[in-house]
Amino acid sequence: MTPSDALSATDLERLARAEAPDLAEAVLAFLDQPDKTSDTPLPQGALDFDALRALLAQAQAQGEKAGRRKGSHEAWQRFLAQKDVPLPARFALADLLVSLYEKNSEPARAALFTLVKEAPLKFGLWAGLKRIYKLSEARHDAEMFGVLAWRFDTERGSHRSREVGSGTLTYLQRRAWRFLRHLGAAVPELYPQFAVEVLRHYQPDTSWSSCWVAHHVWAHNGRNYSATRFPIQPPGDMVKQRMYPDAWKRSPDALMRLLDTCGSDPAAKFAIQGLRKDFPEALRKVTPAWLDRLARRPLGTAHDFLVETLQGSPEFHQGKLRAVGLHDAVLALLESPSDKARAYAIEYARGHAQDMSADRLAELVENGEADVVAFAAATLEKRKPRELGLELLGRLLVTKATAGFAAKVLEQSFDRAELTHDFLREQLFGKQEQLKWATGYIASKYAAGEMPAAFWKQTLTEAKRSSRPRVVEDAAMKALGAYKPADIGPEWLLDLVSNPRLGRQAAQWLTRADSLPGLDVERVKALVFSAKHRETALALLGNRKLFTARQLTVPWLLALARRADPTLHDFGHRYLLENVVPADFSDTGDAAQGLERLFDLALGAKQPPPVRTFAQTYLRCHHPGIGPEQPESKSYDIKPRAPRKAYTPEKLWPALLDARDDVRRFALTIARSELRAWGYQTRVYELADSDAKEIRNLAYDALLNAGEPGADARHTLQPEELDAGKVFALTESTKRSTREVAVELIRRHYARLGGAERLSGLMQSADREVGLFAVRLLWEKHRPLHLPEDWKPAGGGKDAREAGGTTRFCDVEALRTFLRRMLFGLPPGRAKEAREGDVQRRLSASVAKRRVVELVRDLGLEDESFARVVAPVLGEFTGSVAKGEWQSCLASLVQLRAAHPGVQLGGI
């Protein structure tokens, strides 16, 4: 309950003034509310209500009575003496209850009686009840005294929670009996009236061993009690030891009221025995109306007394009971807890109640004791089935006594058409016995799929009405399995997919269907965004038998492909690949325009990665050359649908240099297939300086595989297509791998690409490895044939150096002349090799000359013959006025002499 809904004492006072019929209910709700704590902090040392209850509990735990009383008294005195500690709101109930008692109106007293019987004995309300009890004693209010004395006498034996101690209740038990005892001694004629008001409130579940007042009323003179307990059960003879027997003999009215209003068998027995002993004449003069009321009481003792009265009076012969108005009263005894009363009622019903309604007999079969059930079942079996009706026969299926009869009648006395679908459905929703019969009946009377699907759909929809909903659902699903999804209703099945238990089966029916007429594609498309329906919706949309690609629409599929969710993205991606033709990407249905749109999606600067990935995959798979090789084509069995002419170099060549990895890889895949078809094979040199390794590899493959057997002709150059200028230009690339490829090309195809003049240019390279390669190649390809002097062909054969198609120097002097011209005429050096991405700087001529000298020296250190050739040239340079040049040449000569000590080297 929220604070705004909480009841306050003011609310109760307003209801009391209005004498509201729900006043008692409001007070009970008020007592159930937790006690409100104070918003302001309490003074130090103050005693709040919780602390008071703790002190009271400590006091009750003391062993001596005086100590318990003193501890409780001091705790209450301390709590109530505080001026600055607010009292709990329920403490106001004391004055409210007393004001209701003082008001003495029927609504007020009715509310008080309800509270006395039902309210928990909590502080606040308890104070009011004690004050009212004292007032009822003083005013001789028998009705109020009786209900309060009964509550005090039975409270200790109940299991209700209370705040009142057992000692207080014990005191009030004794006080109530003391009042009755004193009243009987002083005013005997009032004693029965007050005692009856107490006795009539005891209930069948009373714990008699803890009672005090009731035992004193009917067994005081037996003296079977102690100072604290009266531990007996109600005696068999309840008038032998009763208190004040003469007072009970004054009038039968009190006992007649007790018998008419009591709630327990001991109280009724006390009244009956007293009446029989003291007022037998009064019992012979009872009226049919009084007997009728007695028959309605749920007390076996009263019913036995009623039967004995009827049997003992000729006026109440069974043949006369209908006339005197006791027909229904006797039939009411069929539900009596007394065996004797039921037997009498059965005997009467057999002879005088053959017209008892079938509904009444069915109620007896359902709720009666065994003897009554047997009677009612036998009576029903004698009735005509059509008079009983389907509804009642369905009820009879539940009870064991009539189940066989009802099942037999339903199956043999009625045609199948007479058992309506509504009736069968109600049986499915009924008890276990009805459910079992209905499922068996439908299985035996209807072939699979014969019952309209609407019957099972409604049954499934309303299955929660059943006592066993899962069993009903399973039966309905099993039956629906015999129908085609189109007959069940695709829309209805789609709704069922969200059911936690049944959704998977419904989804299987839908996804396995070949036709689902009436299923709205837009609704299914919307369901892909629902976690409960996504799997089914995607399966339905992916079934080409149910929906075409045009129904799904390409924009919607592309939107899915853009999704970050992998499930949606993968579905859109795969569907577009498998089922959409290029023309579908165009608003006009033109294939060429569709392909243009696809290239825009694959290469466009503003396209998100998922869309580019799809479009690139689509274009790869539908390429007539490489399409069948793609893994997606093999997985989805995709047949290429795009012409080769759509893959133009104008679109794809710039993409090879794109900053986006996926775009470059896509363009590279196409270019490997289309490079020669485009006529762009001679432009591969442009790709050798690309920052992307995979793009450079395309250029390397195209160049290095030139003339190689088995090379892919689609992107590989022929040897005659190699361009010497461009190859030598690659040796100046900032990419080391590109320079290495260029050097390898020159080595492989030197006859086509080389020449001494070109090598002289290589010697000036900022890359020492390139320069050294040039010097070595110069010596290898262009030295005079007689060098080295002692060299002879292996095996005495022909000199292989004469082959190769290169022009050699005629003698050593010609080679030296070439070296002098190269060194003396060397221009300022080319840019020093920079790390990739760095800005290159020009080298001075002196530095470039020193590098060439060092390269020549290095080869001379390795090759003695070359050292002999080059030493004189280096010697000539030692006379240079340029300090760096002559020092470098002099140092080189010294190193050469050290490397070849036995050789006469000129130059110095």
Side-chain angles (χ1 to χ4, degrees), residues 462-524:
E462 301 176 7
K464 290 184 179 180
R465 291 172 46 200
S466 170
S467 59
R468 306 185 70 186
R470 290 200 170 195
V471 177
V472 173
E473 289 175 349
D474 292 342
M477 291 296 288
K478 181 179 179 181
L480 286 172
Y483 299 82
K484 294 181 179 179
D487 297 332
I488 299 174
E491 294 286 343
W492 184 84
L493 285 174
L494 199 57
D495 291 334
L496 188 61
V497 170
S498 60
N499 187 293
R501 285 192 67 243
L502 312 176
R504 183 174 296 276
Q505 182 63 59
Q508 289 179 358
W509 290 342
L510 284 170
T511 54
R512 293 174 182 174
D514 292 333
S515 174
L516 294 174
L519 185 58
D520 184 6
V521 64
E522 294 302 325
R523 184 190 176 198
V524 180

Side-chain angles (χ1 to χ4, degrees), residues 53 151 165 355 397 429 504 532 714 871:
R53 287 190 287 193
R151 181 67 187 272
D355 58 346
L397 289 168
F429 294 159
R504 183 174 296 276
K532 293 180 179 179
R714 294 177 298 179

